[in-house]
Amino acid sequence: MSRFRKDPDPRFWRLNRSIEFDWRLAPYDIDQSQAHARGLLEVGVLSEEELERIDAGLEQVRARMAEPGFEFVDADEDIHMAVERLLGEAIGPLAGKLPTGRSRNDQVATDVAMVVQAHSLRAIELAGATMERLLGLAERHRDWPMPGYTHLQRAQPVYLGHHLLAYFWMLARDVLRFQFALDSASVMPLGSGALAGVNWEIDRRAVADDLGFEHVSANSIDGASNRDFVLDYLAAASACSMHLSRLGSEIVLWSSSEFGFCELDESFSSGSSIMPQKKNPDSAELLRAKSPRVAADYAAVIGMMHALPLTYGKDMQEDKEPLFDAIDTVELCLDATGGMLAGIEFDRERLEAASGDEMLAATEIADLLVRKGVPFREAHGIVGGLVRDAIERGRSLSELTPEELRERSEHLDEAFYEVLRRESWLESKRIEGGTGSEALTDQVELAHATLAAVRARVLEERS
Ligand code: ARG
């Protein structure tokens, strides 16, 4: 019996049905149902014997869904209804006791929070592995000079190790963001019921302990309507994918003949179907291109939640596809980045030749004048004039004569030529966080400590 006399229109059914994508919640839904059943025992809704049958029945459902060729039936609206149906087939009418004290509203919120917890941790683990690769590469290329860029114009020389570590720190911040998502998903909505709480005084904290939640939601209305943890995951995933896109983009440039700074391993490149000579950096291009869709996943969910009246609305069923898409995309990209970096080869000569451009010493010369008491703005203008002289006369800076220098400033003497001898430009960046060798050594040490903390975090969460 039901309130309805009519069957759903097939068009409505297709619109309303979420099993096509929420089947991925199955293991979480079953774990949750087992914990909920234990809660129902405590309040006397289930006997010991009934709890055992439900628990075993849910294990049967888990096994059945894992069977090859298993398919949902047309009447399965979503994963929660499907599990309920399968449990009924396994243990009969007793299955009907399980929905006591639970609504699909707090049930789905709890499943999704469990997904966010699991995959935030997975993202931290994968980011940690990529950080390890970057750190290894940075250590191996610690003292390889290369040009640093702004506006994609050669700006100042840096060590390749220093440049690679920039990505390490981006991922270190991503780890913090995923950690935030994990914490935000560690508040259990179950017990919120449809919106007002339920009539059974189930020990929510015991259920939360059972399921690995740190806290229980303080307000049932918020519990049923909150999807912030999805947004927190998507924000972390967006930032992380954006970072990988910048790395991908640089590798695309660097592996071109024009730059010739690096080469990807064949196993992360592809050929052309028409041009036999081609070796394309597809892996790096795809890192670049996957990122906007993750940001779009964020936009989809925040747009769906925007102005949504409390508490649950069917709109919220639309949180899952973007979430799953972002999970799949960011995990694939992090994993592939690690593999791609494992086989990358840098070309020391090309990097060094590009960083040997004397113009990159312009700031050094300005600072030389500052040391002689010239205000920096004035020094900047003097050096700008020298650069123009050199370009107009078709010479390099060091080919300017002492007389030509003096025309620009009385403070320019032998020290000018000294500064143009190269290593000094890099080694003068002794400041904390700078590219100078000693500062870089400190940075590498800090990176090791940061990585160790990430690893310890993962171990702790997994234990
Ligand atoms: N499939 C639904 C979702 O994903 C489950 C919750 C349904 N709740 C309801 N009141 N109809 O959001």
Side-chain angles (χ1 to χ4, degrees), residues 18 22 77-78 80 103-105 108 227 312 314 316-317 319-320:
S18 55
D22 70 11
E77 179 189 328
D78 60 18
H80 323 292
S103 153
R104 271 190 293 161
N105 296 357
V108 71
R227 290 296 182 276
Y312 178 84
K314 199 54 173 275
M316 286 156 80
Q317 179 163 284
D319 60 352
K320 285 166 215 60

Side-chain angles (χ1 to χ4, degrees), residues 428-440:
S428 57
K429 304 295 183 295
R430 259 172 251 120
I431 191 167
E432 182 175 358
T435 200
S437 293
E438 274 176 39
L440 189 48

Side-chain angles (χ1 to χ4, degrees), residues 36 40 84 87 94-103 107 198 200:
H36 177 62
L40 290 177
E84 198 173 318
L87 184 63
L94 173 61
K97 287 197 175 187
L98 186 61
T100 315
R102 183 171 66 166
S103 153
Q107 185 174 357
V198 298
W200 307 88

Side-chain angles (χ1 to χ4, degrees), residues 83-341:
V83 170
E84 198 173 318
R85 170 183 68 82
L86 291 163
L87 184 63
E89 288 172 16
I91 64 170
L94 173 61
K97 287 197 175 187
L98 186 61
T100 315
R102 183 171 66 166
S103 153
R104 271 190 293 161
N105 296 357
D106 57 349
Q107 185 174 357
V108 71
T110 302
D111 284 353
V112 175
M114 290 166 79
V115 169
V116 170
Q117 283 186 48
H119 287 279
S120 297
L121 184 57
R122 180 73 187 131
I124 292 173
E125 200 171 32
L126 288 167
T130 310
M131 287 161 72
E132 187 175 348
R133 280 264 170 252
L134 283 164
L135 180 51
L137 277 178
E139 287 193 280
R140 259 186 287 142
H141 304 88
R142 217 191 261 244
D143 58 352
W144 291 29
M146 66 173 286
Y149 294 83
T150 65
H151 310 266
L152 199 57
Q153 305 285 322
R154 285 179 191 164
Q156 290 177 327
V158 291
Y159 288 118
L160 176 56
H162 190 55
H163 191 103
L164 291 169
L165 282 176
Y167 287 104
F168 177 97
W169 298 112
M170 293 178 215
L171 288 173
R173 291 192 295 276
D174 293 332
V175 165
L176 296 179
R177 289 185 188 91
F178 282 118
Q179 182 65 50
F180 184 83
L182 203 167
D183 293 341
S184 140
S186 297
V187 180
M188 187 187 76
L190 192 62
S192 301
L195 79 157
V198 298
N199 299 335
W200 307 88
E201 235 181 291
I202 296 169
D203 182 349
R204 294 182 71 202
R205 285 171 200 277
V207 177
D209 267 354
D210 234 3
L211 290 175
F213 283 91
E214 294 286 320
H215 312 279
V216 299
S217 54
N219 178 307
S220 62
I221 293 178
D222 185 41
S225 59
N226 175 27
R227 290 296 182 276
D228 289 2
F229 44 87
V230 174
L231 288 168
D232 293 332
Y233 178 89
L234 292 173
S238 302
C240 181
S241 314
M242 176 272 284
H243 292 146
L244 297 181
S245 81
R246 298 183 77 177
L247 177 65
S249 170
E250 294 210 312
I251 290 173
V252 171
L253 284 171
W254 291 2
S255 61
S256 68
S257 313
E258 282 67 18
F259 278 80
F261 288 178
C262 71
E263 201 176 325
L264 287 179
D265 191 75
E266 287 182 2
S267 59
F268 277 82
S269 314
S270 69
S272 154
S273 49
I274 181 165
M275 298 165 283
Q277 85 283 9
K278 292 295 290 292
K279 182 181 168 197
N280 299 325
D282 301 41
S283 51
E285 293 174 275
L286 286 164
L287 288 184
R288 195 167 65 173
K290 289 280 187 193
S291 151
R293 72 189 264 173
V294 180
D297 290 329
Y298 180 88
V301 176
I302 200 151
M304 177 275 285
M305 293 299 288
H306 168 81
L308 196 63
L310 307 185
T311 51
Y312 178 84
K314 199 54 173 275
D315 313 51
M316 286 156 80
Q317 179 163 284
E318 291 291 305
D319 60 352
K320 285 166 215 60
E321 285 169 290
L323 174 63
F324 295 150
D325 181 66
I327 287 172
D328 293 344
T329 306
V330 81
E331 290 181 5
L332 177 62
C333 287
L334 278 168
D335 209 14
T337 302
M340 186 186 77
L341 292 177

